[in-house]
Amino acid sequence: TYTLNNANRRIQPNNTSGFRGVSWWKTRKKWRALISSGGKTKYLGLFEKAEDAATAYRDAAIAEFGDFVPNMIHSDQMQDPGKMPRKMG
C-alpha cells in the first residue's frame, strides 16, 4: 500500500541524524522522534541521544508496520556506530 511503500523509502540525503524518524530540535537541543502512518504523525518524544530516539522509532514502527518495518539506519552506520553525527546547531 501507499503507506507501507513510503515507510520503506530510503532515508533522504538531507537527513542529519542518520536515522529514519529522528531529527534535531534546535530550540530544545534534543533529538525528536516522530512516526507517520495513514496521513497522521505521532510524536514519540524528545531524547538526549539520537540512538535513543531511533530506538523509540523502531519500537513504534514494529507496532505499526509489523513485518514491513523500514530500514532504520544507513548500512555504513551499522558497521561503525561512531559515524553517527552528534548535536546540530
Side-chain angles (χ1 to χ4, degrees):
T1 66
Y2 177 79
T3 299
L4 292 176
N5 287 339
N6 275 335
N8 281 307
R9 288 177 53 192
R10 290 179 181 253
I11 293 176
Q12 297 297 306
N14 62 347
N15 180 306
T16 57
S17 72
F19 295 101
R20 179 179 302 281
V22 176
S23 60
W24 179 248
W25 193 351
K26 189 175 183 178
T27 57
R28 300 288 295 271
K29 297 184 178 176
K30 293 188 186 269
W31 294 99
R32 173 175 53 184
L34 304 166
I35 190 166
S36 296
S37 177
K40 296 185 179 188
T41 300
K42 182 178 179 184
Y43 174 77
L44 302 174
L46 294 175
F47 302 86
E48 295 291 327
K49 297 179 182 178
E51 293 85 354
D52 294 339
T55 299
Y57 177 87
R58 184 197 63 214
D59 293 346
I62 290 169
E64 185 68 32
F65 302 115
D67 291 337
F68 299 97
V69 175
N71 295 326
M72 298 297 143
I73 59 175
H74 296 296
S75 59
D76 64 335
Q77 290 167 348
M78 291 172 68
Q79 296 168 0
D80 184 3
K83 291 184 179 180
M84 176 54 51
R86 297 296 168 209
K87 294 182 179 179
M88 302 296 296

